[in-house]
Amino acid sequence: MDKLQSALSLSPEEYYELAHDRMRRYLGSNPLKSVCIGISASPKVTCTFPGQVMALTLANLIARSCLRAIFAFPDSDLHPQLRRNGMFGLHSRVKAEAYGSNPYGSFVFETSDCQDADYIIRIGRPDNETDRFNVVIDANGWTSYIGHNFDSPEIDRISSNPVGPAMVSCLAHAEAFKEFLGVPDHLRIKRLTMSLYDLSVGDKPVPGLSVPEPNRIELGNTQMVGVGSVGSAVLYLIDMLPAHGVLDLIEPQMVEVENLDRSLIFMANDVGRPKAHIGKQWLEGRDLQANAHVMTYADYVKAYGRSRSEGSLDMILLLANEDNIYSDIQHNYPPIVLYGTTTAGWGINLGRHIPLREECVLCRYPNTTAPAFKCATTKVAVPKTKQQIDASLPFLSMAAGVLTVAELIKVQMDEYPVQGNFAFLDLMGSLDFVDVRQKDKSELCVCHSQNVEVYRSLLNNSRWGKLSNKSH
């Protein structure tokens, strides 16, 4: 409670000093702090599920990095899956998340005009060639489009899959950072279409992918280990899905002001509260049972064993970086493990580990004495104390979360797995290619000595255990 009271009593200057601390340590400053960002869209866009996901995600990200923004899009009734806490209108939810994350921000809601903004992101094809904008984004289902020209493709926004809209929002936010950092043109995205289904990219518009999308997302009995920056992004998107099952949220830490610039479900009045409790609260009212466990994964195993819930353990979303986490998980014979993470630069990774069939988490990250990947962070030292802290960029956590949720949706499908078990995207570059490949097991890993019969007996009752019997 002391932290909560101190957070609410901070002056605007003190608040931003803490809220943007990680970003400043990474870049030297927050290039968007004094910039006014505008988001514009037409009624035909904001009345659709993809259009609303783009508006919500982009507004949430921008509010956490800017002091001023103009939201120049009309209000619309929210899609039922996007309604929260009695909020039925697009503007009401945008306002709640913008001011919730940045109580000292200045956010103007207009019906159409944001020409006074320093940088304008247009959602959907511009209405006429005289409209001013810096970047145009659009999306539907698995597909994301971003470009700088008036002749952006016409996209049918009929899907209720949020991953394409969420990813393109991250790309637009990254492009705004590049603009005010003075990043050279060859590192900026010119025109890009990306499929989150197979992680293919190209510079030409593509028609809507004829890829089936499940109308029900089954989690079975899933553990989310880590409710930090990437974990909160995953929960932001799971809330937008017709998800069912049990989700155990395992996270020992409390929300700090320094988390607010990159964690889309954490608000200023959450400071001092357990992150796991915030995650559970975020999912209230959905057809999903979320349980909060304010402890490390090691303590969870000591208290409950491999799984607290009855029945089999079906999946682990590995979104933590505590010491020995990879060893702890692998030695407990995990089911399929999925995660998104970020590199020390502007990169994001996707990881997948199907037991017995693919490399395990210890094959990929054998050094368990220190975290092998950082959730949207790099390590920097505080000059006076030499203490190592996490520094980050705000859009990376969300993008890593998108990759995780895209994989979570794909695992529901008979064609799974769709692509290799490793992927790398560099958001600093023009995204001309995505590194997707299949990584092999390490011959020296502990997974080779684990009892196969025990492992298969545990997987027999697991929802996705049959994946371990498939061949590539």
Side-chain angles (χ1 to χ4, degrees):
M1 185 61 67
D2 290 341
K3 283 189 176 182
L4 176 59
Q5 290 174 339
S6 62
L8 296 177
S9 63
L10 292 173
S11 68
E13 294 77 14
E14 292 170 331
Y15 182 84
Y16 291 125
E17 183 74 12
L18 290 174
H20 296 167
D21 176 73
R22 303 302 192 247
M23 198 187 321
R24 287 186 295 101
R25 292 185 184 279
Y26 194 93
L27 296 173
S29 65
N30 174 8
L32 299 188
K33 182 177 180 181
S34 60
V35 171
C36 180
I37 301 291
I39 305 175
S40 67
S42 70
K44 66 181 181 180
V45 173
T46 58
C47 69
T48 67
F49 181 88
Q52 292 179 1
V53 173
M54 285 184 278
L56 288 167
T57 306
L58 195 51
N60 194 317
L61 285 168
I62 286 173
R64 293 172 188 273
S65 55
C66 299
L67 275 63
R68 297 181 298 136
I70 301 174
F71 302 132
F73 47 81
D75 198 8
S76 297
D77 291 337
L78 279 173
H79 184 279
Q81 195 61 40
L82 301 178
R83 296 170 184 169
R84 289 187 48 79
N85 300 328
M87 291 179 285
F88 293 89
L90 178 61
H91 279 188
S92 63
R93 179 167 172 181
V94 168
K95 186 177 295 185
E97 294 181 10
Y99 283 111
S101 63
N102 185 355
Y104 298 113
S106 175
F107 306 118
V108 177
F109 288 80
E110 298 284 355
T111 56
S112 59
D113 183 35
C114 62
Q115 298 304 301
D116 292 335
D118 300 308
Y119 189 90
I120 300 175
I121 300 170
R122 174 72 182 188
I123 302 176
R125 188 185 181 112
D127 294 327
N128 57 72
E129 295 188 29
T130 62
D131 288 347
R132 184 175 76 85
F133 58 87
N134 296 87
V135 66
V136 179
I137 64 173
D138 214 336
N140 181 59
W142 300 105
T143 305
S144 299
Y145 170 82
I146 182 170
H148 295 270
N149 299 321
F150 172 77
D151 60 339
S152 60
E154 288 287 354
I155 294 180
D156 293 329
R157 306 174 196 91
I158 57 176
S159 171
S160 56
N161 178 351
V163 296
M167 178 58 81
V168 81
S169 301
C170 299
L171 299 181
H173 197 214
E175 289 300 300
F177 267 81
K178 293 179 188 178
E179 174 74 17
F180 294 98
L181 284 171
V183 171
D185 285 347
H186 73 276
L187 293 176
R188 304 191 194 188
I189 297 174
K190 305 299 186 297
R191 184 184 182 101
L192 176 78
T193 301
M194 173 185 291
S195 166
L196 273 296
Y197 179 71
D198 60 5
L199 298 180
S200 60
V201 293
D203 61 358
K204 296 181 180 179
V206 295
L209 291 173
S210 57
V211 176
E213 297 175 352
N215 55 20
R216 180 183 173 99
I217 305 299
E218 293 287 354
L219 296 184
N221 177 15
T222 291
Q223 294 172 353
M224 177 184 286
V225 184
V227 189
S229 55
V230 178
S232 64
V234 169
L235 293 177
Y236 190 78
L237 292 174
I238 285 180
D239 181 65
M240 297 178 173
L241 292 169
H244 301 259
V246 178
L247 183 61
D248 280 341
L249 306 175
I250 306 169
E251 168 62 64
Q253 295 184 353
M254 309 296 162
V255 176
E256 298 180 348
V257 178
E258 290 87 343
N259 302 137
L260 298 182
D261 70 337
R262 64 192 187 275
S263 302
L264 270 67
I265 70 170
F266 298 159
M267 305 299 164
N269 61 4
D270 292 325
V271 171
R273 297 180 60 201
K275 293 178 180 179
H277 288 177
I278 304 302
K280 176 183 178 180
Q281 178 179 309
W282 191 264
L283 297 176
E284 286 180 355
R286 303 303 187 194
D287 295 324
L288 182 66
Q289 179 186 332
N291 304 310
H293 306 281
V294 185
M295 59 183 67
T296 65
Y297 177 77
D299 288 338
Y300 175 91
V301 172
K302 290 177 183 177
Y304 304 114
R306 188 168 177 264
S307 173
R308 177 179 181 273
S309 301
E310 293 183 4
S312 63
L313 177 60
D314 297 312
M315 180 185 296
I316 293 179
L317 303 177
L318 176 52
L319 308 171
N321 59 357
E322 62 199 57
D323 287 353
N324 294 316
I325 184 64
Y326 320 111
S327 178
D328 289 342
I329 284 180
Q330 189 56 41
H331 280 89
N332 280 282
Y333 289 74
I336 183 172
V337 177
L338 305 177
Y339 56 84
T341 183
T342 72
T343 69
W346 285 43
I348 56 174
N349 290 336
L350 170 68
R352 180 192 71 229
H353 305 283
I354 298 176
L356 301 179
R357 173 181 169 184
E358 296 181 328
E359 63 164 0
C360 75
V361 292
L362 274 177
C363 289
R364 188 169 298 184
Y365 302 111
N367 180 9
T368 62
T369 59
F373 62 75
K374 296 96 175 167
C375 295
T377 64
T378 188
K379 297 288 185 180
V380 297
V382 180
K384 291 183 179 180
T385 65
K386 304 299 183 182
Q387 177 188 4
Q388 295 293 304
I389 66 166
D390 293 337
S392 70
L393 295 176
F395 48 82
L396 292 176
S397 301
M398 188 64 195
V402 172
L403 292 184
T404 307
V405 174
E407 203 69 11
L408 178 62
I409 297 172
K410 283 182 277 187
V411 79
Q412 314 286 323
M413 304 166 67
D414 292 337
E415 298 81 6
Y416 192 80
V418 177
Q419 80 290 319
N421 60 6
F422 170 85
F424 171 74
L425 289 73
D426 182 9
L427 273 65
M428 170 54 85
S430 57
L431 276 180
D432 295 330
F433 72 95
V434 176
D435 180 6
V436 182
R437 49 196 154 107
Q438 186 72 23
K439 288 198 171 186
D440 297 327
K441 289 186 176 185
S442 168
E443 293 299 326
L444 301 177
C445 185
V446 68
C447 63
H448 287 284
S449 63
Q450 290 184 301
N451 189 306
V452 175
E453 292 184 3
V454 170
Y455 220 144
R456 289 201 181 280
S457 68
L458 291 170
L459 294 173
N460 282 340
N461 297 320
S462 181
R463 180 176 292 274
W464 293 285
K466 62 182 180 181
L467 292 173
S468 296
N469 300 321
K470 281 188 176 182
S471 60
H472 289 292

